[in-house]
Amino acid sequence: MNKLLLVFSLVLFSFNNLNAQKPQKPTASEIYESIKKLNFLGSVLFVAAHPDDENTRLISHLANEVKARTAYISITRGDGGQNLIGTELGPLLGVIRTNELIKARKTDGGEQIFTRAIDFGFSKNPDETFSIWGKDAVLSDVVLAIRKFQPDIIINRFNHRTPGTTHGHHTAAGILGVEAFDLAADSNTFSNQLTQYKPWQPKRLFFNTSWWFYGSQEAFEKADKSNLVALKTGKFYPSFGLSNGEIAALSRSKHQSQGFGNTGTRGVDTEYLELLKGPMPSDPTNLFEGINTSWSRIEGGEVIGNILYQVEKDFDFKNPAASIPELVKGYRLLKNRTDYWGIQKTKEIKKIITAATGLFIEAISETQYTSPASQIKINIEAINRSSVSVDLIDVTYNSKSLLKEKKKLTNNQRVSFESSIIIPKNAIYSSPYWIKKQASKGLFNVNELDLIGLPTVNQNEQVYFEVIIDGEKFTFERDIIYKFNSPVTGEVYQPFQVLPEVTGKIKDKVLIFSEPQAQQVTVTVKAGKDNLSGIATLQHPEGWSVSAPQTFELETKDQEKELIFTVTPSNNQSEGTLNLLIQVGDSYYNNEMVTLNYEHIPFQHILVPAQAKVARIELNIKGQNIGYIAGAGDEIPSALSQIGYKVTEINPETITLQGIIGFDAIVVGIRAYNVHDILRFRQEVLFEYVKNGGNLIMQYNVSRGLVTEQLAPFDLKLSRNRVTDEDAKVQFTNPNHPVLNTPNKITQKDFENWVQERGLYFANEWADEFEPIFSMNDPNEDAVEGALLVASYGKGTITYTGLSFFRQLPAGVSGAYRLFANLLSLSND
């Protein structure tokens, strides 16, 4: 058990280094703050539902002012949300938001944990949430996190007592925090975990309340606060040159995919915590009152504390290395401990010793990625930038020594050399662990206890440096990384990844067959190494057929080759999946390599199944020339192109009547009126286009933060109304309307197999000119009619729809294609 706990600790609490790639080079002030944190033995776990739910002001206060070990457990990875910076949705969006949370914690000083729960979109109550997640499974993950992290205090972000008043995931997170508080200490609960981890009972449970939960600031001021702890969180940190509010804003601004850029605040600020369980602190400003957070907390800790408290007191900002002898003494007393705090503080003190010596060690690959069994060159560098005695006695990879002779690391004298290594044949591919297996609707398929909860797993290849510092032997692990120089930005670090020797992709992720005729499908194979040959096959659904397998030869790594397959659909309407299978020798591969390249998170390649959705549907289209005003990012333009439309992206900055009058229809992308301020000055042009016979289709926008209230030539108000049940019954309020009949006859069958939801941000007020087409509702709710509104204006037509076409079309939902084709045909005689 202790070995596994050590593995968890090393992996979980080094995640910042794993993902930041660029090596940390702490200042003297940062080293000093780390020593202060070293001398505090207390921990807090903050519980909420999604990336962005965390209170960064409170996390920063606890981590930087109190010096507590502070973690945020996000029940989900945010995979069900929208993406403001790209087109990635689902699991890929979850990868982006996972990395955003990791960067946020690096900024505010906290640590990050997850459960296996999947964000399946908005939920209206916790009962629905738990029915999809599986309550016991997610509750077990929260209990496991408590047993691993061993928090003294748990803080819920959301109120567990108000189901139905907020997002069901939010209330569910509060319920999980309350129930797990006691269950984590019960040896009869989730006893399978006890083979590796011990029961743990936190001391206090709080709810992070505020005036918002009381309805108004005035109501909160009048409320009884005798059960509340008030924390002053507006402190200024001279060591960082930032106030707590500024650090919190920098942290929250890492959530770029959600558009949560935040402006820092300065001055007095207060956070309120309502006690739910455990004894109330006699000092209502001290969460840890009555909890021993000194070194005397652990057996033999007084001796360690006597050394390290003095290190803190005597710290020399001009010469941090002066603390090394005493830090090494403390390390010797900690290094063989197997208790929780012994393991954690050993890790912390090693990092401090490295920083205080100015010890810089790294292993740089000549290439960004390679495949198993490949040979690569790496460059090793080591330098000691202090007067402390440091000897490099070995450098190893995969248990093989790379250092020919021991090196004395003289102050500020760089040691570097090149070495060749062979990546093991059984090396694990560098891709997010939680999406490697097929997930259920509500839960990722991860069963290993030591993996559950980790933000990422270190699948990078590592080099081990054995060093003697002031007479004590240390082993430091460093990921092999890739580094290059950019003429614009200078030194650039990227992760070194191990990926398959061949990957492939089907060019179009959705293939719609409106006729029984065959179509040509383009497949691309890409070499992960030199001199590669193999056979590519497209596996197809029953009733479909595909042309014969094709051979390929690729001479150099990264070379690509296009293969053209002929796919013949079934005679009758059907849906299915094409799967690419590539054979190289005796090995088979079915991975597509997707690259995430955003400046605010690490560059990385992600492996996903190489497949495409195919559908044989009865589909007619009218009009060919479509203009598209992109919003927050979606894949509808490519989906429309795939079924025969010519789609032209319209720059909202340059919209003129003359420039758009020739389009058969203009589609406004999701959240365009939330992200393009210029559209408030272009509405009259769009209305004039409609008046002259045009067809304008506006997709959903968030009801708050609209750049204009004039979405239509007459009254139209958006709401937060939505239907989250993707199987909700849809009533046709006007079966004879053209949108339900031309050029495709829409029936109830067209609303089968929808994904995640029916729609969101429906209209709730509209002028008589608008005609509602559908009525729908979630279980036990009244029906709403604002999902699709159509109005005539002049010679043309204007439509607002909250139906989630941005999810349905990329998912290949047949009925959504048929209905969207009808929308595009309006005004086309």
Side-chain angles (χ1 to χ4, degrees):
M1 182 184 74
N2 290 328
K3 181 178 179 181
L4 287 169
L5 180 60
L6 175 60
V7 169
F8 171 79
S9 300
L10 291 176
V11 173
L12 176 60
F13 305 121
S14 63
F15 70 82
N16 282 336
N17 289 333
L18 302 184
N19 288 275
Q21 305 309 325
K22 192 170 185 177
Q24 295 179 330
K25 302 169 186 177
T27 66
S29 293
E30 290 170 331
I31 295 170
Y32 176 65
E33 294 298 329
S34 297
I35 292 172
K36 289 166 66 177
K37 196 176 187 74
L38 180 67
N39 285 329
F40 188 93
L41 281 68
S43 55
V44 181
L45 181 64
F46 193 87
V47 182
H50 310 105
D52 84 0
D53 285 343
E54 78 274 29
N55 185 337
T56 55
R57 293 184 306 277
L58 186 54
I59 290 175
S60 176
H61 169 79
L62 294 169
N64 297 308
E65 170 63 9
V66 179
K67 301 300 181 186
R69 188 170 162 235
T70 307
Y72 170 43
I73 179 170
S74 178
I75 304 300
T76 76
R77 295 177 185 264
D79 359 61
Q82 289 84 53
N83 184 358
L84 289 182
I85 61 174
T87 60
E88 297 89 355
L89 293 174
L92 288 177
L93 178 57
V95 174
I96 291 173
R97 292 191 174 177
T98 294
N99 281 277
E100 289 177 338
L101 270 181
I102 290 171
K103 296 289 282 187
R105 297 294 78 76
K106 182 181 179 183
T107 302
D108 59 34
E111 300 162 8
Q112 189 60 52
I113 307 173
F114 291 96
T115 76
R116 292 170 294 172
I118 294 174
D119 178 0
F120 55 84
F122 192 87
S123 175
K124 293 184 176 179
N125 61 74
D127 291 338
E128 178 199 32
T129 298
F130 285 135
S131 71
I132 293 175
W133 284 348
K135 182 181 179 182
D136 282 352
V138 183
L139 180 59
S140 75
D141 288 2
V142 179
V143 168
L144 180 63
I146 294 171
R147 288 171 173 172
K148 289 180 176 181
F149 190 75
Q150 297 188 14
D152 298 305
I153 294 165
I154 294 178
I155 301 174
N156 275 353
R157 180 55 166 161
F158 297 110
N159 194 344
H160 67 290
R161 298 160 293 198
T162 55
T165 61
T166 183
H167 198 319
H169 296 180
H170 293 171
T171 310
I175 293 171
L176 292 168
V178 169
E179 294 188 10
F181 179 85
D182 293 319
L183 293 177
D186 184 355
S187 59
N188 294 315
T189 301
F190 307 122
S191 56
N192 63 302
Q193 300 174 2
L194 301 182
T195 59
Q196 299 182 35
Y197 306 101
K198 296 178 180 179
W200 180 257
Q201 180 60 67
K203 305 299 189 298
R204 295 187 177 103
L205 172 66
F206 292 97
F207 160 48
N208 182 197
T209 191
S210 71
W211 68 263
W212 188 88
F213 293 98
Y214 287 75
S216 69
Q217 188 73 49
E218 181 180 6
F220 182 63
E221 290 174 358
K222 295 178 180 178
D224 178 12
K225 298 182 179 62
S226 60
N227 199 40
L228 302 186
V229 170
L231 300 179
K232 301 297 182 183
T233 59
K235 184 178 176 64
F236 172 69
Y237 303 112
S239 293
F240 306 139
L242 296 168
S243 70
N244 193 71
E246 289 171 318
I247 293 173
L250 290 171
S251 174
R252 190 159 183 79
S253 296
K254 301 303 180 185
H255 298 298
Q256 292 187 20
S257 66
Q258 302 185 71
F260 281 156
N262 208 251
T263 299
T265 60
R266 292 146 292 280
V268 176
D269 195 11
T270 304
E271 289 290 334
Y272 293 93
L273 304 178
E274 177 190 354
L275 183 70
L276 299 179
K277 292 191 176 187
M280 184 70 179
S282 57
D283 177 0
T285 66
N286 181 8
L287 287 186
F288 286 91
E289 189 273 330
I291 300 173
N292 186 359
T293 59
S294 71
W295 279 104
S296 64
R297 177 173 189 162
I298 63 175
E299 184 179 353
E302 292 89 345
V303 177
I304 302 171
N306 289 339
I307 296 170
L308 298 180
Y309 291 135
Q310 195 65 37
V311 169
E312 179 181 338
K313 181 179 178 181
D314 296 339
F315 185 76
D316 184 349
F317 286 86
K318 293 183 178 180
N319 182 22
S323 300
I324 292 297
E326 295 303 299
L327 286 169
V328 170
K329 286 182 183 178
Y331 171 78
R332 289 191 180 110
L333 296 174
L334 282 167
K335 66 178 181 178
N336 293 321
R337 295 187 69 112
T338 57
D339 58 295
Y340 171 82
W341 282 112
I343 293 171
Q344 171 62 17
K345 294 304 177 180
T346 298
K347 182 189 75 70
E348 290 181 24
I349 201 169
K350 281 181 68 176
K351 290 179 67 176
I352 293 170
I353 290 171
T354 306
T357 58
L359 181 62
F360 180 90
I361 48 178
E362 68 178 11
I364 304 296
S365 167
E366 65 177 352
T367 182
Q368 197 274 323
Y369 77 95
T370 193
S371 58
S374 296
Q375 180 173 294
I376 64 167
K377 292 181 181 178
I378 59 173
N379 189 69
I380 304 295
E381 179 180 341
I383 186 170
N384 164 30
R385 292 169 289 185
S386 74
S387 58
V388 173
S389 173
V390 179
D391 295 309
L392 180 63
I393 59 174
D394 206 357
V395 179
T396 61
Y397 169 74
N398 197 26
S399 301
K400 295 180 180 179
S401 178
L402 308 179
L403 187 66
K404 294 180 179 179
E405 58 180 358
K406 298 178 182 179
K407 304 284 186 180
K408 186 166 188 63
L409 299 182
T410 307
N411 185 11
N412 216 30
Q413 297 297 309
R414 185 169 67 99
V415 170
S416 64
F417 60 92
E418 190 179 82
S419 184
S420 293
I421 62 172
I422 297 176
I423 304 299
K425 185 177 181 179
N426 60 350
I428 299 174
Y429 295 147
S430 309
S431 194
Y433 75 92
W434 66 91
I435 61 174
K436 287 189 172 182
K437 299 178 183 177
Q438 181 67 41
S440 66
K441 182 177 180 180
L443 210 67
F444 287 114
N445 187 358
V446 180
N447 297 313
E448 302 86 348
L449 288 180
D450 54 330
L451 292 183
I452 294 172
L454 298 181
T456 59
V457 170
N458 186 5
Q459 298 166 340
N460 300 314
E461 297 300 303
Q462 290 189 316
V463 170
Y464 294 84
F465 293 78
E466 290 187 18
V467 177
I468 294 178
I469 301 176
D470 200 41
E472 179 66 28
K473 181 179 177 181
F474 294 84
T475 299
F476 298 107
E477 307 87 11
R478 291 293 184 268
D479 295 337
I480 299 175
I481 52 180
Y482 174 62
K483 182 172 69 173
F484 65 92
N485 183 73
S486 164
V488 176
T489 58
E491 187 178 60
V492 176
Y493 281 85
Q494 293 178 352
F496 167 74
Q497 294 187 268
V498 177
L499 299 169
E501 62 179 339
V502 64
T503 56
K505 65 178 179 180
I506 303 172
K507 180 181 178 181
D508 296 308
K509 296 298 178 280
V510 177
L511 296 158
I512 303 298
F513 293 74
S514 58
E515 302 290 342
Q517 284 80 21
Q519 292 185 26
Q520 289 189 327
V521 174
T522 301
V523 167
T524 302
V525 292
K526 182 175 182 177
K529 67 176 187 179
D530 295 340
N531 301 317
L532 192 78
S533 62
I535 303 171
T537 305
L538 277 182
Q539 298 176 317
H540 55 82
E542 184 177 354
W544 294 59
S545 63
V546 174
S547 55
Q550 297 190 42
T551 61
F552 63 88
E553 293 185 1
L554 299 169
E555 295 180 359
T556 59
K557 179 185 174 185
D558 291 328
Q559 183 180 352
E560 296 182 345
K561 184 173 183 179
E562 285 191 352
L563 307 174
I564 306 298
F565 289 86
T566 301
V567 177
T568 304
S570 60
N571 292 322
N572 301 317
Q573 185 162 310
S574 66
E575 298 180 4
T577 303
L578 291 179
N579 291 288
L580 175 61
L581 186 65
I582 304 173
Q583 181 180 2
V584 177
D586 295 328
S587 300
Y588 291 86
Y589 303 91
N590 63 347
N591 296 119
E592 176 180 349
M593 186 170 70
V594 177
T595 301
L596 295 182
N597 188 10
Y598 294 101
E599 290 185 0
H600 69 298
I601 61 173
F603 173 95
Q604 57 195 295
H605 300 298
I606 310 296
L607 298 177
V608 299
Q611 60 186 28
K613 179 73 177 288
V614 291
R616 166 73 174 95
I617 65 177
E618 295 180 7
L619 176 66
N620 300 301
I621 65 175
K622 289 175 64 179
Q624 295 288 325
N625 195 15
I626 308 300
Y628 201 91
I629 301 174
D634 62 61
E635 295 182 341
I636 287 181
S638 61
L640 298 181
S641 297
Q642 208 281 320
I643 59 173
Y645 290 102
K646 177 185 177 183
V647 183
T648 303
E649 184 168 339
I650 299 173
N651 182 349
E653 296 279 350
T654 59
I655 292 175
T656 65
L657 183 60
Q658 187 64 32
I660 64 175
I661 200 70
F663 287 114
D664 295 315
I666 292 176
V667 181
V668 183
I670 59 174
R671 298 177 75 166
Y673 291 102
N674 299 124
V675 299
H676 294 310
D677 187 68
I678 192 65
L679 281 178
R680 62 180 169 145
F681 303 113
R682 301 291 185 259
Q683 284 297 83
E684 291 300 327
V685 179
L686 293 174
F687 297 159
E688 193 66 20
Y689 159 80
V690 176
K691 195 173 182 179
N692 282 277
N695 180 15
L696 179 65
I697 301 165
M698 298 179 294
Q699 297 180 84
Y700 98 89
N701 283 267
V702 176
S703 54
R704 68 181 186 279
L706 292 167
V707 301
T708 177
E709 296 296 325
Q710 195 66 34
L711 294 177
F714 13 75
D715 289 342
L716 177 66
K717 303 293 183 185
L718 307 187
S719 71
R720 296 178 63 84
N721 291 344
R722 63 180 74 204
V723 173
T724 62
D725 183 355
E726 62 268 36
D727 299 316
K729 180 73 172 177
V730 177
Q731 303 290 342
F732 297 178
T733 58
N734 184 355
N736 296 321
H737 195 283
V739 80
L740 296 177
N741 294 279
T742 305
N744 302 290
K745 178 67 175 178
I746 303 301
T747 69
Q748 290 293 337
K749 188 173 182 63
D750 290 302
F751 287 93
E752 295 177 0
N753 302 317
W754 281 47
V755 297
Q756 186 158 317
E757 63 204 355
R758 288 295 188 203
L760 63 171
Y761 292 100
F762 295 170
N764 66 341
E765 296 181 31
W766 53 86
D768 291 340
E769 287 85 349
F770 276 111
E771 183 170 0
I773 306 301
F774 300 123
S775 171
M776 60 187 73
N777 61 278
D778 278 320
N780 304 316
E781 292 189 1
D782 294 333
V784 291
E785 293 187 333
L788 180 62
L789 303 174
V790 181
S792 295
Y793 180 63
K795 298 178 181 179
T797 305
I798 185 168
T799 299
Y800 175 79
T801 178
L803 295 173
S804 60
F805 290 108
F806 74 103
R807 294 195 190 281
Q808 311 312 320
L809 299 191
V813 177
S814 299
Y817 274 91
R818 287 164 45 82
L819 178 56
F820 208 88
N822 284 13
L823 291 175
L824 293 172
S825 75
L826 293 172
S827 298
N828 286 299
D829 297 326

